[in-house]
Amino acid sequence: MSGFVDLGRLGLADRCADLALLLANARETWTGEEQDRAADMAFAARYAIALDHDRLRFYLRLAPLTWG
C-alpha cells in the first residue's frame, strides 16, 4: 500500500483537526516524549508547516464528541 484516503469526515474544516488525530495516533508508535516531539517536528519540517499545539490539543479533545 502506498497511501490511504480517509473519507470519514469529508468536508471543509480546519486541517488541524486531521493533524491532531494523525499525530496522536502516530504517538502510539514512539517510546517516549522526546521521540514524540522529534517526530512531530520532523513532520512539520517535511510539510513546511508550523504546528499550533493549542489548536491540536483542542481538536484532540473535541474528536470523541464528534464521532456520535
Side-chain angles (χ1 to χ4, degrees), residues 16-49:
C16 275
D18 289 329
L19 287 176
L21 294 175
L22 170 81
L23 295 175
N25 287 323
R27 284 176 177 253
E28 295 175 7
T29 304
W30 314 128
T31 58
E33 187 65 30
E34 190 173 311
Q35 210 175 24
D36 291 344
R37 281 193 301 271
D40 288 356
M41 298 312 294
F43 175 85
R46 173 67 177 95
Y47 287 94
I49 60 172

